[in-house]
Amino acid sequence: MLLHKVYHRFSLIPVRSFPACSAFPFTFSSFKFSSAVHASSFLRNSPKLRRKMGVAADSRLSKLVPVASVEDVGRAGNGSAGSPVADEENSSTGAGYCLPPPEIRSIVDAPPLPALSFSPKRDKILFLQRRALPPLSELARPEEKLAGIRIDGSCNTRSRMSFYTGIVIHSLTDNGTLGPEKEIHGLPEGAKINFVSWSRDGRHLSFSVRVDEEDNSGGKHKVWVADVESGKARPLFQSPDIYLNAIFDNFVWVDDSTLLVSTIPLSRGSPPKKRLVPSGPKILSNEQQNVVQVRTYQDLLKDEYDAELFDYYATSQLMLVSLDGTSKEIGPPAIYTSMDPSPDKKYLLLSSIHRPYSFIVPCGRFPKKVELWTVDGKLVREVCDLPLAEDIPIAFNSVRRGMRSINWMADKPSTLYWVETQDGGDAKVDVSPRDIIYAQPADSQVGEQPEILLKLDLRYGGISWCDDSLALVYESWYKTRRIKTWVVSPGSKEVPSRILFDRSSEDVYSDPGSPMFRRTAAGTYVIAKVKREDEGTYILLNGSGATPEGNIPFLDLFDINTGNKERIWESDKEKYYETVVALMSDQEDGDLHIEQLKILTSKESKTENTQYYIQNISEKSASQITNFPHPYPQLASLKKEMIKYQRKDGVQLTATLYLPPSFDPSKDGPRPCLVWSYPGEFKSKDAAGQVRGSPNEFAGIGPTSALLWLARGFAILSGPTIPIIGEGDEEANDRYVEQLVSSAEAAVEEVIRRGVAHPDKIAIGGHSYGAFMTANLLAHAPHLFCCGIARSGAYNRTLTPFGFQNEDRTLWEATNTYVEMSPFMSANKIKKPILLVHGEEDNNAGTLTMQSDRFFNALKGHGALCRLVVLPFESHGYAARESIMHCLWEMDRLVLQKGNHCLPVEVVDHLGKKASRKNFILHQDRCCDNEKYMITTFFR
């Protein structure tokens, strides 16, 4: 009985068998523990079953003998010997992980390009080497789900962390070319590298290193440093028993030779053990009758044992350590969440969380204490101690009461600034001012009042510091989409603050750009001022340059006093898409000279992948510094076009249409088409119709991208805009279904009109809110699509009663909206095949795995053609190679390839005559090896 229950929870959910000529053919093999691997997967997921079978809860199931796979999954360390893999001919549903066709596999397995990091003085560049997709065995390692975060106890870090496999240094010559390669050496074999950072003078690197233990568990992180000149790496601490605690902040450079490190306390013992008999019931009370509305957060603390585990793993001891290995403890052990040295290196701003904890909100809302310490370990004062914040209203722009956004001013030696709300944190309260910004030196005297920098009527959104004469302050309000930028003079109270920009955040055409920053000698970043011959005060504005023809990024020289601007750089708009990445002439204090201005840009086209260049603005010259190979040359000649069309209510819509290489609609005829999208909310039709993105951007293809099906001959309509508009006092979601269907109809009509998509072979798909969209379209627009792919979605909005996505009304305030938007409530209307995929360990608020479980049961209860694939160990996004490959196999099987069955040649004609009645179409250009059987493919 127990195994029967486990089977139904963790298998691929058996449904009725279909005949060989079925529109959506698949069968299910009977369940049995046929190997130690299969048993291990169930044991890992069922603590109850482990106890009944006498398996310890913390046993290393990876030691079980793996079954031999049909095809080796593990290339270059990517595979997992413990994951059964079925080949394409033997993948009858649930016997193991399956692989998509080779043309898709080759793209997914392409080696990733390195990440780049420039030195503070911009004279060296790091190439941080990365691996391809991780094996499932890494995700299968035990993890603790505590207070909204997931912890790998064996590493004492957040679980499922990616890492670098190596570090290579290149010098950057004066002419913009790269010097010889120098590899960081001295690392242990199999080192996994994280948290790479430069010292302020650029002479050293710091990073963490861990090496897996013999039992395949993750080893704890140690802090290492490397000399940039020699490339020699070594451990930072002299003692081998000091490990990094990276649950929250990990380490930071205080000066050129000293780091502040969050370590695991040496006095910490073994993890607490759960009591067999609880000390009492779990009690939640609201006897004070407080109004507490929270969204559906996951991984919360469940009981006192969870709270003890959270204390155990998250508590750290701060240590100040020099490059020579000498160290000193700073403060008592606590759950430190951030540590920020002052620009003058005299003070430390330390934030920590403490009890009482909550069972209904994540740790970001736990009581928070902020303290000011000297670098030599003396407490200066407590800045604030904020109480538990369970009752933050769900309305957008609501915030925590009390001091927030406490930081150092970037242009001062040691001055703090922060914000305090005047509306109790409730966005529904109408008050003026709504936020006040304060500032105070670290060495201020007891009782000295802070200075008021600015009062805001909207919600504070950040500050860009420059100097005493200039800072830019941002405020915004979601309901109206209004955003303002203020110019203030922090050091001159006589100079009044003034509004620089006042615009709609949705209006991308009016976006003036963002200021560029230079790095100071103290290691902070301030707005870069630019000198030229006249006496104006100029800054650099870097913008995306949205236009009706697509984005044309730019760099403007902007006079902050007059508002005049001069375009000093602009992307090529005919063939290339270029963006400004960073300033390359920012290493000195003071204003930059326009004649010496250098910038780092990226450059790409539809068929050329991104490369990086150093541009000399005055000389108008560019030097290419990278030459990355094309990641998928088999699709190098794909066709890409940004298309425009209209919805029936006149709203302008856009999408990106991709066509396979060498495809000619006039000769080849319409193709199967996959539409992949994600809805968005807007306050105006004009904003909804604006063009976003560029037709010249490189077609980046991730491991779960819809563009993978270009390799299978599909046309892909990527990101068709599906605006849900609520103008004035109207709420967008009150007409969600109507606008969703109208947008989808316009997109489908356009690809059919262009002759690129077969009207009976158009599939719809999406992830998360895109999955919600997919299910709704199959329910309310069944005439548009032949099938749907819904990954990691939420389908019943009554299970997210206190808001979801951009809806901040509760279920009780907008009952009809919640019900009408939920495809779960329309499961009886879904007649087209739908593939549901969900990570079994989804941690995203609202998209619990239960959402797909219940939706599948509702569909099955009405006889729908449906399939649910639950990916073990996966979260909201999918990470393991086995999971991703299997997900792609499932998608390919639904929208293009075969089922499990072949049809004898002699019945082809008979079935062909009844194709419309049987709702399938014969795909006759693919045959089995012996050419005796025709493969059927379902499209409608």
Side-chain angles (χ1 to χ4, degrees):
M1 184 64 182
L2 178 62
L3 295 183
H4 176 76
K5 290 181 179 178
V6 173
Y7 166 50
H8 280 282
R9 177 63 185 87
F10 297 105
S11 69
L12 296 179
I13 314 299
V15 297
R16 61 185 174 89
S17 297
F18 291 89
C21 60
S22 165
F24 191 37
F26 47 78
T27 60
F28 294 86
S29 57
S30 61
F31 169 77
K32 59 182 177 180
F33 280 139
S34 58
S35 71
V37 170
H38 292 151
S40 71
S41 65
F42 288 101
L43 291 172
R44 275 193 295 264
N45 285 282
S46 178
K48 279 187 179 178
L49 182 58
R50 286 200 299 262
R51 289 196 294 271
K52 285 181 178 285
M53 297 182 68
V55 181
D58 60 349
S59 64
R60 298 298 179 185
L61 294 167
S62 58
K63 293 180 179 179
L64 294 169
V65 179
V67 67
S69 60
V70 175
E71 177 171 350
D72 180 22
V73 187
R75 63 165 68 183
N78 293 333
S80 170
S83 298
V85 178
D87 65 7
E88 291 181 73
E89 301 302 325
N90 261 338
S91 51
S92 65
T93 66
Y97 287 92
C98 302
L99 295 167
E103 53 266 41
I104 288 181
R105 291 205 303 268
S106 63
I107 298 174
V108 175
D109 278 333
L113 298 176
L116 306 183
S117 174
F118 287 86
S119 65
K121 294 187 176 181
R122 303 297 192 255
D123 60 343
K124 292 181 176 61
I125 181 173
L126 298 183
F127 284 68
L128 302 169
Q129 299 165 341
R130 301 181 289 177
R131 62 167 182 175
L133 296 174
L136 188 64
S137 58
E138 289 193 8
L139 273 65
R141 288 211 299 258
E143 62 181 359
E144 303 291 347
K145 301 172 184 177
L146 304 169
I149 60 177
R150 295 183 175 183
I151 296 171
D152 185 332
S154 62
C155 300
N156 219 100
T157 63
R158 301 291 180 97
S159 60
R160 310 180 182 204
M161 287 175 52
S162 59
F163 56 86
Y164 301 114
T165 58
I167 304 175
V168 172
I169 305 175
H170 287 273
S171 294
L172 200 58
T173 63
D174 292 337
N175 61 6
T177 59
L178 295 182
E181 175 182 299
K182 182 191 302 177
E183 186 172 3
I184 296 294
H185 59 276
L187 298 171
E189 185 177 354
K192 298 180 177 180
I193 303 168
N194 289 98
F195 314 124
V196 180
S197 63
W198 294 87
S199 63
R200 296 188 179 189
D201 60 3
R203 296 175 58 191
H204 292 89
L205 296 174
S206 60
F207 46 89
S208 72
V209 171
R210 69 177 175 91
V211 179
D212 285 346
E213 305 292 347
E214 291 182 0
D215 62 355
N216 199 34
S217 65
K220 291 183 173 61
H221 291 246
K222 291 188 176 183
V223 183
W224 282 56
V225 291
D227 181 87
V228 172
E229 190 62 34
S230 66
K232 173 66 176 175
R234 60 178 176 81
L236 175 62
F237 287 96
Q238 295 177 348
S239 170
D241 299 324
I242 298 179
Y243 296 97
L244 183 68
N245 188 338
I247 302 299
F248 294 105
D249 214 349
N250 40 73
F251 54 85
V252 62
W253 287 93
V254 175
D255 56 36
D256 294 339
S257 60
T258 310
L259 292 101
L260 183 64
V261 182
S262 176
T263 68
I264 297 174
L266 292 172
S267 59
R268 189 179 81 171
S270 301
K273 294 184 178 180
K274 190 167 188 175
R275 303 177 186 90
L276 294 178
V277 179
S279 58
K282 177 181 176 181
I283 298 174
L284 299 176
S285 173
N286 191 32
E287 295 177 34
Q288 293 77 28
Q289 295 182 297
N290 296 322
V291 176
V292 178
Q293 301 177 350
V294 295
R295 293 205 174 194
T296 47
Y297 298 113
Q298 300 196 50
D299 301 338
L300 302 177
L301 298 179
K302 299 181 293 297
D303 49 31
E304 179 57 28
Y305 172 67
D306 274 2
E308 292 173 0
L309 277 180
F310 181 69
D311 283 333
Y312 177 82
Y313 288 113
T315 298
S316 59
Q317 174 64 62
L318 300 185
M319 299 191 73
L320 200 67
V321 56
S322 300
L323 289 178
D324 61 8
T326 59
S327 60
K328 175 184 178 179
E329 293 184 352
I330 299 291
I335 302 179
Y336 295 102
T337 56
S338 68
M339 43 193 187
D340 299 299
S342 61
D344 63 2
K345 315 174 188 63
K346 292 182 179 179
Y347 298 96
L348 301 172
L349 186 66
L350 305 180
S351 299
S352 60
I353 54 179
H354 60 82
R355 290 174 180 255
Y357 299 150
S358 170
F359 298 122
I360 64 173
V361 293
C363 58
R365 295 194 183 186
F366 287 1
K368 177 182 179 180
K369 182 184 293 184
V370 181
E371 296 176 323
L372 190 62
W373 290 70
T374 62
V375 172
D376 57 2
K378 295 178 181 179
L379 177 64
V380 178
R381 68 174 183 272
E382 181 183 283
V383 178
C384 68
D385 193 351
L386 305 176
L388 179 65
E390 288 184 331
D391 58 348
I392 299 176
I394 63 171
F396 289 107
N397 289 123
S398 294
V399 296
R400 190 174 195 155
R401 290 188 292 270
M403 300 172 67
R404 69 183 198 277
S405 301
I406 307 169
N407 289 293
W408 297 108
M409 291 176 62
D411 62 321
K412 292 288 189 292
S414 52
T415 298
L416 293 170
Y417 73 96
W418 66 91
V419 184
E420 292 186 32
T421 179
Q422 307 300 299
D423 57 12
D426 189 349
K428 292 184 178 180
V429 174
D430 190 10
V431 65
S432 178
R434 190 173 293 276
D435 275 337
I436 299 179
I437 307 171
Y438 296 93
Q440 188 174 47
D443 57 2
S444 62
Q445 300 301 311
V446 176
E448 185 177 340
Q449 294 301 307
E451 174 189 355
I452 295 178
L453 285 181
L454 192 63
K455 297 180 179 181
L456 303 172
D457 285 337
L458 307 182
R459 188 63 79 202
Y460 167 80
I463 301 180
S464 297
W465 299 100
C466 183
D467 54 29
D468 279 344
S469 66
L470 176 62
L472 299 181
V473 180
Y474 311 96
E475 62 173 338
S476 63
W477 199 246
Y478 177 77
K479 279 291 187 183
T480 60
R481 308 301 200 273
R482 192 177 180 189
I483 183 171
K484 292 182 182 180
T485 303
W486 290 83
V487 177
V488 299
S489 298
S492 305
K493 294 183 180 180
E494 298 78 16
V495 179
S497 302
R498 59 186 175 87
I499 293 178
L500 184 64
F501 304 119
D502 186 353
R503 47 182 290 272
S504 167
S505 60
E506 290 183 338
D507 183 9
V508 293
Y509 292 170
S510 69
D511 187 353
S514 302
M516 298 208 69
F517 297 86
R518 65 173 177 84
R519 195 176 193 274
T520 68
T524 62
Y525 286 85
V526 298
I527 296 174
K529 279 187 177 180
V530 178
K531 284 183 179 179
R532 56 185 300 173
E533 295 178 357
D534 56 62
E535 298 299 321
T537 302
Y538 294 96
I539 64 173
L540 297 167
L541 293 181
N542 179 17
S544 60
T547 74
E549 288 71 44
N551 289 359
I552 305 173
F554 63 84
L555 187 65
D556 280 351
L557 192 63
F558 182 78
D559 191 321
I560 202 73
N561 295 320
T562 66
N564 295 328
K565 57 186 177 182
E566 174 189 346
R567 189 140 299 178
I568 60 175
W569 178 90
E570 186 175 70
S571 171
D572 181 307
K573 56 187 175 184
E574 300 301 325
K575 179 181 178 181
Y576 292 100
Y577 176 72
E578 302 169 283
T579 61
V580 177
V581 179
L583 284 177
M584 295 300 288
S585 49
D586 67 341
Q587 68 269 23
E588 300 294 336
D589 279 339
D591 296 347
L592 305 178
H593 293 273
I594 188 68
E595 295 82 8
Q596 299 173 348
L597 187 61
K598 293 182 181 180
I599 57 175
L600 176 71
T601 62
S602 64
K603 184 177 182 180
E604 60 196 79
S605 72
K606 297 176 184 179
T607 57
E608 299 172 73
N609 54 304
T610 304
Q611 306 293 352
Y612 292 92
Y613 295 76
I614 293 180
Q615 306 255 6
N616 188 311
I617 296 298
S618 62
E619 297 178 2
K620 299 187 182 302
S621 61
S623 301
Q624 184 174 343
I625 61 172
T626 62
N627 190 22
F628 297 131
H630 198 292
Y632 20 89
Q634 62 271 50
L635 294 179
S637 58
L638 63 81
K639 299 176 181 179
K640 175 185 176 182
E641 181 183 0
M642 181 177 284
I643 63 175
K644 300 178 184 179
Y645 48 98
Q646 276 195 346
R647 195 162 84 175
K648 62 184 178 182
D649 60 358
V651 175
Q652 177 76 44
L653 304 178
T654 59
T656 305
L657 177 63
Y658 293 89
L659 297 174
S662 305
F663 172 67
D664 184 347
S666 62
K667 296 179 181 178
D668 302 328
R671 309 294 298 167
C673 179
L674 176 57
V675 179
W676 199 268
S677 192
Y678 192 98
E681 293 82 5
F682 294 87
K683 287 301 294 180
S684 73
K685 292 182 178 180
D686 288 342
Q690 291 184 352
V691 177
R692 293 162 174 83
S694 167
N696 295 326
E697 288 180 90
F698 179 68
I701 304 179
T704 58
S705 171
L707 300 187
L708 289 166
W709 274 267
L710 289 168
R712 302 286 278 154
F714 260 48
I716 308 295
L717 193 67
S718 178
T721 50
I722 301 186
I724 311 299
I725 304 166
E727 293 188 302
D729 295 331
E730 182 187 25
E731 295 290 345
N733 285 337
D734 290 343
R735 294 197 300 120
Y736 173 85
V737 171
E738 172 192 339
Q739 297 189 66
L740 179 72
V741 172
S742 181
S743 297
E745 284 178 337
V748 169
E749 289 170 2
E750 180 64 18
V751 291
I752 293 174
R753 184 190 69 79
R754 288 171 171 264
V756 299
H758 192 294
D760 293 335
K761 301 181 182 182
I762 302 176
I764 181 67
H767 187 91
S768 194
Y769 206 50
F772 178 75
M773 167 206 73
T774 296
N776 265 308
L777 286 173
L778 292 186
H780 301 292
H783 59 290
L784 295 179
F785 303 104
C786 65
C787 58
I789 303 160
R791 298 191 323 216
S792 299
Y795 309 102
N796 183 353
R797 285 306 168 196
T798 68
L799 297 177
T800 56
F802 290 107
F804 58 90
Q805 200 69 9
N806 289 321
E807 177 60 67
D808 62 0
R809 295 172 295 175
T810 70
L811 168 64
W812 298 271
E813 293 172 322
T815 304
N816 290 339
T817 298
Y818 273 68
V819 172
E820 291 169 4
M821 285 184 69
S822 298
F824 179 86
M825 304 300 178
S826 301
N828 60 317
K829 298 179 181 179
I830 297 180
K831 306 301 181 184
K832 297 297 177 63
I834 183 170
L835 170 66
L836 304 174
V837 183
H838 218 117
E840 192 170 40
E841 306 295 336
D842 195 324
N843 64 342
N844 186 53
T847 56
L848 293 81
T849 309
M850 174 182 65
Q851 289 271 7
S852 285
D853 284 337
R854 293 189 176 181
F855 188 42
F856 174 79
N857 288 330
L859 293 167
K860 186 172 66 171
H862 290 90
L865 205 56
C866 54
R867 181 172 172 88
L868 171 62
V869 178
V870 179
L871 299 172
F873 307 116
E874 294 291 354
S875 187
H876 190 59
Y878 318 140
R881 183 177 186 269
E882 294 93 326
S883 302
I884 289 173
M885 290 294 187
H886 186 88
C887 180
L888 297 175
W889 176 82
E890 295 279 359
M891 293 170 62
D892 187 73
R893 186 163 168 265
L894 171 64
V895 299
L896 173 67
Q897 243 287 21
K898 56 192 176 181
N900 297 16
H901 306 279
C902 296
L903 296 180
V905 170
E906 54 264 31
V907 302
V908 168
D909 292 337
H910 174 71
L911 291 174
K913 294 175 183 178
K914 299 183 179 181
S916 59
R917 181 163 61 86
K918 291 290 185 181
N919 277 336
F920 67 85
I921 290 177
L922 295 176
H923 190 61
Q924 301 185 27
D925 60 349
R926 291 187 60 91
C927 298
C928 294
D929 292 339
N930 59 12
E931 296 187 356
K932 279 187 156 186
Y933 298 91
M934 303 298 294
I935 306 298
T936 62
T937 302
F938 175 78
F939 285 107
R940 188 171 179 85

